[in-house]
Amino acid sequence: MLCVALRFFANGSFLYNIGDAEHISKATVCRVVRKVCLALKRFLRIFVLFPGHKPVRAIKEEFHRIAGFPNVVGCIDGTHIPIIAPSENEADYVNRRSIHSINVQIICDAAHLITNVEAKWPGSVHDSRMYRESTLSNRLETGEIDGFLLGDRGYPCRPTLITPYPEPEPGPQRRFNVAHCRTRARVEMTIGLLKARFQCLRHLRVTPERACDIIVACVVLHNIAIIRGEQHPALQI
């Protein structure tokens, strides 16, 4: 069962193609992938922790070594996972590129470990709303965690979420933006690694609910691979 599910996660083939390769029916492959997803989902709070498995000080030091940006506990970004048009609330899932998708919020550390994932929002929902309504934003706003996130200009600039200057002047503001960009690139690389490792995320031919479970399962597997020191897939950033 695990091998069948991993084959689906890794190459994103049609279920009947995987069934033919493993000499089982498409319905069996569907049930197997569902069971493995739900099993992996139960490990979410073990392998995906914010601010991370390391001490906060170590996380900040790793980010600081990238470009000298202090007090960073994570980088945040949203990414769209394409899905087939759902039968219910179809318009809600159409994103700005007119594609049906799930909008996924991801936060990572400097070692490409995903420390927070929100995989439940339709593609039409903006990144800033996903963050605003997440439990993590409340934890940061109340001062539970000492530090801040780095995000792009799609997010509002707040004391706990720092965004770049929209029109930086030469000097300190431009240097700020360069350091911000180099540091925040870690989340873009992490999302790239996740999608390169699990080709099924290129397009999920399932309902939105099942798509969200598959995304969470892939995040758990990604973190297990990072913790184990597995080789990264080749990336073109």
Side-chain angles (χ1 to χ4, degrees):
M1 288 174 66
L2 186 58
C3 288
V4 168
L6 288 175
R7 180 189 285 263
F8 169 75
F9 295 147
N11 60 32
S13 297
F14 286 96
L15 296 179
Y16 61 77
N17 287 347
I18 297 172
D20 289 347
E22 299 291 340
H23 306 293
I24 55 179
S25 69
K26 176 185 173 182
T28 301
V29 175
C30 185
R31 286 194 300 270
V32 163
V33 171
R34 181 66 176 160
K35 285 183 178 180
V36 173
C37 280
L38 295 178
L40 287 168
K41 192 177 176 181
R42 288 197 289 269
F43 288 98
L44 179 63
R45 295 191 178 184
I46 297 174
F47 288 101
V48 182
L49 296 172
F50 187 84
H53 293 80
K54 306 169 188 173
V56 175
R57 181 179 176 182
I59 293 169
K60 292 179 180 180
E61 287 175 352
E62 289 180 357
F63 275 120
H64 186 266
R65 283 197 290 269
I66 297 171
F69 215 110
N71 213 33
V72 179
V73 292
C75 295
I76 184 171
D77 201 3
T79 185
H80 288 268
I81 305 299
I83 60 171
I84 58 171
S87 56
E88 297 181 5
N89 303 317
E90 178 264 342
D92 291 345
Y93 292 87
V94 179
N95 62 27
R96 62 183 181 275
R97 295 181 180 177
S98 301
I99 297 169
H100 295 88
S101 68
I102 302 291
N103 196 1
V104 183
Q105 175 181 285
I106 285 179
I107 299 174
C108 73
D109 68 8
H112 306 296
L113 203 68
I114 294 173
T115 55
N116 181 265
V117 59
E118 291 265 348
K120 63 181 182 181
W121 293 97
S124 63
V125 176
H126 195 272
D127 292 354
S128 60
R129 181 188 168 191
M130 286 197 301
Y131 175 72
R132 186 175 66 249
E133 298 194 16
S134 67
T135 55
L136 180 62
S137 67
N138 293 329
R139 292 177 63 193
L140 285 164
E141 294 286 346
T142 56
E144 179 184 334
I145 299 163
D146 177 31
F148 50 75
L149 303 174
L150 296 186
D152 62 20
R153 286 195 287 269
Y155 295 95
C157 190
R158 305 182 63 83
T160 56
L161 203 170
I162 308 299
T163 59
Y165 286 97
E167 296 179 4
E169 297 178 358
Q173 290 187 4
R174 190 163 293 175
R175 290 197 298 271
F176 176 96
N177 273 16
V178 169
H180 185 288
C181 180
R182 286 180 58 193
T183 308
R184 198 188 66 82
R186 286 302 163 103
V187 70
E188 295 174 354
M189 292 174 66
T190 299
I191 291 170
L193 286 171
L194 177 69
K195 291 183 175 181
R197 199 170 247 140
F198 303 107
Q199 296 288 311
C200 69
L201 299 180
R202 291 179 301 178
H203 191 268
L204 292 171
R205 305 170 190 89
V206 293
T207 63
E209 179 188 359
R210 295 201 173 193
C212 293
D213 288 340
I214 291 171
I215 294 164
V216 168
C218 289
V219 167
V220 171
L221 289 171
H222 167 87
N223 276 8
I224 291 172
I226 295 292
I227 292 168
R228 286 173 54 88
E230 299 289 344
Q231 184 177 357
H232 293 328
L235 275 185
Q236 290 183 345
I237 302 296

